[in-house]
Amino acid sequence: MSFTPPNFHLQYQDDGKGFDVANPENHKGLGMQNIESRLNMCGASITYESSIEKGVKASITKIA
């Protein structure tokens, strides 16, 4: 995590099930929509890197 007001960058990573990022069906769940909506309200964005059985890496960034 890095924080230089008003900017920040946060990374999350796990070694869980993972998912296919290219499949739009994986972005339609309420949980994903809720996260993206809340980040959008504060001017931040999220990107995902993942593949099946390889876990997930999510990067949240806000640059003013």
Side-chain angles (χ1 to χ4, degrees), residues 7-52:
N7 305 319
F8 64 84
H9 181 79
L10 173 71
Q11 284 191 317
Y12 166 83
Q13 186 170 349
D14 69 32
D15 60 354
K17 292 181 181 181
F19 64 95
D20 180 4
V21 177
N23 184 346
E25 291 295 315
N26 292 328
H27 295 273
K28 291 185 177 182
L30 289 177
M32 297 280 271
Q33 289 178 7
N34 192 16
I35 291 168
E36 291 177 10
S37 174
R38 289 171 186 255
L39 290 171
N40 191 27
M41 288 185 340
C42 71
S45 62
I46 188 167
T47 58
Y48 301 97
E49 294 177 36
S50 184
S51 57
I52 305 298

Side-chain angles (χ1 to χ4, degrees), residues 1-10 42-44 60-64:
M1 180 172 147
S2 62
F3 180 73
T4 308
N7 305 319
F8 64 84
H9 181 79
L10 173 71
C42 71
I60 300 170
T61 305
K62 179 175 188 241
I63 300 174

